[in-house]
Amino acid sequence: MKWELYRWVWQVRSPLHLGTAPAGSLNRTRLYVPAYTFRGALVNVLAGKLGEGPSAYQKATQALDSRFRFTYLFPAEREGDKWFTWLPRYGYEKGPGLVWRREAQGNTVPDRHFRMRLLSTRASTAIDPGTDTASDGTLREVEVIHPWFAGEKPREVFLVGYVLYLPGSPGGLEAQANREATPVEEEIKEIKRYLLDEGGLEVFVGGELRYGLGRIELVHRNQATSLWNAQIDLNQKDPVVDKPEFLLAHGFASSGQNELKGSLECVAVWDNASGRGGLKSLGLAWAPGTISPGLRWRIRGDGFWELA
């Protein structure tokens, strides 16, 4: 059984907030959409198409887990009928810090300057219901990815990533021609149609969704053979990225630490399993852009990478 790889392009239709560690009264944002966050947003959309109630969310989650894998979405700009992604790099060319490198063209921009091009802020506060005035100590600014790159010639902001789909029945077994499809198979067919065949899919991703933030629209997809400039093995149980120069997701590595050079982050996710709730720590992971020479990485079902 072989995975199919598709590259897709999402247009940012409203400001995005992908929360990370705050700085004082500034709620900071990431410059990319983690696959785990994006997968959760897709479950929310697809559950509404598959039915109603908690069971629809369970069906959507099971279908995505069994046959789909997602990469991170990184900012991109359009030139003609092509989209060029900006990817993070640590220790690239000058100095040890983080820079952003444009796909194909190869020019780099320091992280600080790239944030100035891509981000804006929104002021907000909590309202005291007793006085209808701002509550003390709640004034803050929220960083957001703006739908337009700043500059003399503003350009629309897009997000580019990849989706992998495994044809056939769950567990790697081909469906028999004379056997009626199971409910899971029917849901997988529906989800495949929404994600890989139809157009105009809209997803709300990230934080501050109640205020109109987070809307992105799928505008293009095509079949691909590589993950940006990295080769990928599609014949494994989980797709394996073969010796990428830089990480393109958060990567968990129990060995090979001496070969990695970049930034470590403590990764936590929401755990909504039955009887539990709240944040669950996954431990330390290497951030996107980390130098990763000569290592192979498995794309997990939650979108994170770990050494193969």
Side-chain angles (χ1 to χ4, degrees):
M1 197 63 60
K2 183 176 180 179
W3 292 85
E4 295 177 358
L5 178 66
Y6 297 86
R7 176 178 168 120
W8 53 9
V9 181
W10 298 78
Q11 185 167 0
V12 177
R13 294 297 190 184
S14 67
L16 302 182
H17 176 72
L18 292 311
T20 185
S25 61
L26 176 65
N27 292 347
R28 302 178 68 234
T29 185
R30 300 184 185 277
L31 304 190
Y32 51 82
V33 182
Y36 186 87
T37 304
F38 182 68
R39 173 180 165 275
L42 280 179
V43 168
N44 191 45
V45 171
L46 295 172
K49 297 180 180 294
L50 295 178
E52 297 180 357
S55 62
Y57 288 88
Q58 294 174 358
K59 292 175 183 177
T61 300
Q62 291 171 0
L64 289 180
D65 287 348
S66 65
R67 304 280 281 282
F68 294 88
R69 296 289 184 272
F70 302 98
T71 71
Y72 283 34
L73 300 177
F74 291 99
E77 55 189 349
R78 182 176 185 172
E79 288 188 2
D81 59 350
K82 295 183 179 180
W83 290 265
F84 297 95
T85 316
W86 287 90
L87 297 171
R89 301 285 189 266
Y90 278 97
Y92 189 84
E93 294 180 351
K94 299 180 181 179
L98 177 65
V99 300
W100 290 80
R101 185 169 185 256
R102 189 175 185 267
E103 187 181 15
Q105 202 173 52
N107 56 314
T108 59
V109 177
D111 181 62
R112 181 178 179 181
H113 294 169
F114 190 64
R115 296 181 76 90
M116 292 170 62
R117 286 191 57 198
L118 187 61
L119 302 183
S120 62
T121 60
R122 297 163 58 95
S124 61
T125 187
I127 301 299
D128 185 338
T131 62
D132 282 338
T133 60
S135 297
D136 291 342
T138 63
L139 180 63
R140 66 190 187 277
E141 286 187 288
V142 178
E143 266 187 345
V144 294
I145 297 174
H146 200 267
W148 294 82
F149 282 104
E152 295 182 0
K153 295 181 179 179
R155 294 188 176 188
E156 294 170 309
V157 175
F158 296 87
L159 299 169
V160 172
Y162 293 81
V163 54
L164 297 107
Y165 169 68
L166 183 65
S169 300
L173 300 175
E174 291 290 348
Q176 300 294 328
N178 58 351
R179 181 170 59 85
E180 183 179 354
T182 66
V184 174
E185 291 170 342
E186 287 300 318
E187 289 146 9
I188 290 171
K189 290 178 182 178
E190 282 292 293
I191 290 176
K192 177 182 180 294
R193 180 167 62 85
Y194 290 130
L195 297 185
L196 301 180
D197 299 328
E198 295 186 351
L201 180 64
E202 284 191 348
V203 175
F204 284 83
V205 62
E208 306 288 333
L209 301 185
R210 289 177 297 173
Y211 303 100
L213 274 64
R215 184 165 70 97
I216 60 177
E217 180 185 0
L218 180 62
V219 295
H220 179 78
R221 73 170 73 81
N222 62 274
Q223 202 150 5
T225 57
S226 62
L227 206 68
W228 286 288
N229 60 347
Q231 297 303 309
I232 184 167
D233 186 352
L234 301 174
N235 294 300
Q236 304 298 321
K237 180 179 179 182
D238 289 316
V240 174
V241 186
D242 190 22
K243 301 177 182 178
E245 186 180 1
F246 297 90
L247 288 184
L248 299 171
H250 284 94
F252 293 91
S254 57
S255 60
Q257 299 276 4
N258 294 334
E259 302 178 52
L260 299 166
K261 297 179 181 179
S263 177
L264 279 168
E265 294 183 14
C266 183
V267 176
V269 299
W270 285 106
D271 182 8
N272 294 319
S274 178
R276 298 193 300 273
L279 285 175
K280 175 184 177 182
S281 175
L282 300 182
L284 290 175
W286 292 93
T290 295
I291 299 174
S292 168
L295 299 174
R296 288 165 55 87
W297 297 85
R298 177 175 70 90
I299 301 179
R300 303 187 336 190
D302 55 14
F304 298 114
W305 292 11
E306 67 179 13
L307 284 176

